[in-house]
């Protein structure tokens, strides 16, 4: 399917690997020029090169911590008026909520709620004026369903979701959409790290921990960043202009509800 966004520009935050990279790749496949981002130079440069070679689009790597004002300024400097913004960031570490001090809680809220709001503030009026904008926030299945040890992730992302529900309706008539993608378990470095912790806690091998996690998902597998990216690219397409303020679960059926 032609997504109708060839020649558009996108900032994809936190995209040197994992879900952000999956989104960047799918947008590149659709012909979108990219700003990609991460904090570590070699990985980011490698991803930029990989995407340029595969799809021939312009890719500007911006090494920056997206949670900081300087990091956000660097992203906007590289692409002052993006047509597409994909908000992504590191997730909070897995912790018993009793162990979170005030700083840890505020850091989690900054990463997963305040940062995307700040970036949206900086791009939304220009998108509205130009009559095209697609904003996708990578949140989590934990918005809908508690996951042990990820209460901070749930809270911060639910805050973002509620915040954006009103904002999305305020720009819908300008052909600017804001949607959230809610990943379940996707095969990324973060998931593998979390599985390793679970393996240690339960005194099993990493392989066994992964097998148990997959067995609990109706699809009996983890998702791939590539399939996550394709869903993201569709939400950024011309065909998705009537979809806004929505929360799309990608979880292989893990969330046990009819609606
Ligand atoms: N994978 C899953 O199953 C899953 C499920 C639910 C929710 N999520 C959420 O989805 C998001 C992405 O997860 P993932 O699995 O793709 O993680 P990942 O594999 O660990 O990749 C994270 C990416 O973000 C970059 N990054 C991290 N912190 C950054 C920062 N402050 N500024 C700029 N770039 C930053 C990393 O590069 P650098 O380290 O070089 O900065 C890397 O490219 C996270 O918020 C995670 O909690 C993931």
């Amino acid at each position: 399917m032609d997504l109708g966004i060839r020649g558009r520009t996108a900032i994809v935050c936190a995209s040197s690997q994992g879900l952000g990279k999956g989104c960047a790749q799918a947008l590149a496949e659709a012909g979108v020029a990219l700003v990609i981002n991460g904090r570590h130079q070699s990985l980011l440069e490698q991803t930029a090169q990989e995407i340029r070679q595969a799809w021939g689009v312009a890719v500007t790597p911006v090494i920056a911590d997206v949670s900081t004002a300087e990091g956000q300024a660097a992203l906007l400097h590289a692409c002052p008026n993006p047509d597409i913004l994909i908000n992504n960031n590191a997730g909070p570490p897995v912790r018993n909520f009793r162990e979170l001090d005030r700083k840890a809680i505020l850091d989690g809220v900054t990463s997963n709620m305040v940062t995307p709001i700040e970036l949206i503030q900086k791009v939304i009026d220009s998108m509205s004026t130009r009559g095209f904008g697609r904003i996708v926030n990578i949140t989590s299945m934990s918005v809908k369903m508690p996951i042990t040890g990820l209460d901070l992730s749930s809270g911060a992302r639910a805050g973002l979701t509620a915040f954006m529900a009103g904002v999305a309706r305020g720009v819908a008539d300008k052909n600017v959409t804001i949607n959230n993608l809610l990943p379940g378990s996707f095969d990324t470095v973060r998931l593998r790290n979390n599985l390793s912790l679970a393996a240690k806690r339960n005194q099993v091998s990493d392989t066994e921990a992964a097998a148990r996690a997959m067995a609990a998902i109706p699809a009996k597998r983890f998702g791939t960043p590539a399939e996550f990216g394709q869903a993201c690219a569709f939400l950024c397409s011309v065909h998705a202009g009537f979809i806004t303020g929505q929360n799309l679960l990608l979880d292989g059926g893990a969330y046990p509800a009819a609606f």
Side-chain angles (χ1 to χ4, degrees):
M1 185 197 291
D2 181 354
L3 297 185
I5 48 177
R6 185 164 297 282
R8 296 272 182 196
T9 55
I11 295 177
V12 187
C13 304
S15 48
S16 55
Q17 66 179 14
L19 302 181
K21 179 177 175 181
C23 295
Q25 288 173 310
L27 289 170
E29 187 183 351
V32 174
L34 301 174
V35 168
I36 64 167
N37 160 245
R39 292 160 302 175
H40 297 93
Q41 181 162 10
S42 60
L43 182 60
L44 188 65
E45 298 282 0
Q46 191 185 310
T47 297
Q49 194 51 21
E50 207 182 293
I51 294 176
R52 281 185 207 110
Q53 268 170 6
W55 291 287
V57 295
V59 184
T60 307
V62 173
I63 301 150
D65 180 344
V66 69
S67 299
T68 64
E70 306 76 55
Q72 293 176 20
L75 287 167
L76 269 301
H77 180 73
C79 183
N81 296 301
D83 300 308
I84 295 166
L85 170 66
I86 312 300
N87 276 311
N88 187 33
N89 206 342
V94 179
R95 288 269 186 293
N96 184 314
F97 85 96
R98 293 170 188 79
E99 295 166 11
L100 298 170
D101 61 17
R102 172 176 280 233
K103 181 178 180 311
I105 295 170
L106 291 178
D107 283 351
V109 171
T110 300
S111 292
N112 298 130
M113 180 179 173
V114 178
T115 297
I117 292 170
E118 287 174 334
L119 282 167
I120 291 168
Q121 285 174 324
K122 288 167 184 144
V123 303
I124 199 165
D125 289 338
S126 152
M127 288 177 173
S128 298
T129 303
R130 287 177 290 126
F132 182 91
R134 297 286 185 266
I135 298 171
V136 174
N137 302 310
I138 299 180
T139 65
S140 174
M141 183 172 78
S142 73
V143 170
K144 286 194 173 241
M145 179 174 139
I147 300 175
T148 307
L150 285 176
D151 310 289
L152 179 53
S153 170
S154 312
R157 298 179 202 274
L160 174 67
T161 305
F163 194 117
M164 284 305 145
V167 176
R169 272 77 185 179
V171 291
D173 66 334
K174 304 290 189 298
N175 191 24
V176 177
T177 66
I178 306 178
N179 291 291
N180 306 303
L181 286 177
L182 284 59
S185 296
F186 278 81
D187 204 347
T188 66
V189 170
R190 175 174 167 88
L191 180 76
R192 292 287 166 182
N193 288 343
N194 286 347
L195 285 172
S196 260
L197 291 175
K200 282 195 189 75
R201 213 171 34 244
N202 298 321
Q203 297 181 318
V204 297
S205 66
D206 286 12
T207 311
E208 178 58 23
R212 287 182 188 181
M214 281 190 242
I217 301 169
K220 304 297 174 204
R221 67 175 179 89
F222 297 140
T224 67
E227 59 194 342
F228 187 89
Q230 293 297 335
C232 175
F234 178 75
L235 287 178
C236 296
S237 74
V238 291
H239 312 298
F242 208 53
I243 303 174
T244 196
Q246 297 304 302
N247 292 285
L248 178 61
L249 261 174
L250 294 92
D251 68 349
Y255 178 65
F259 300 100

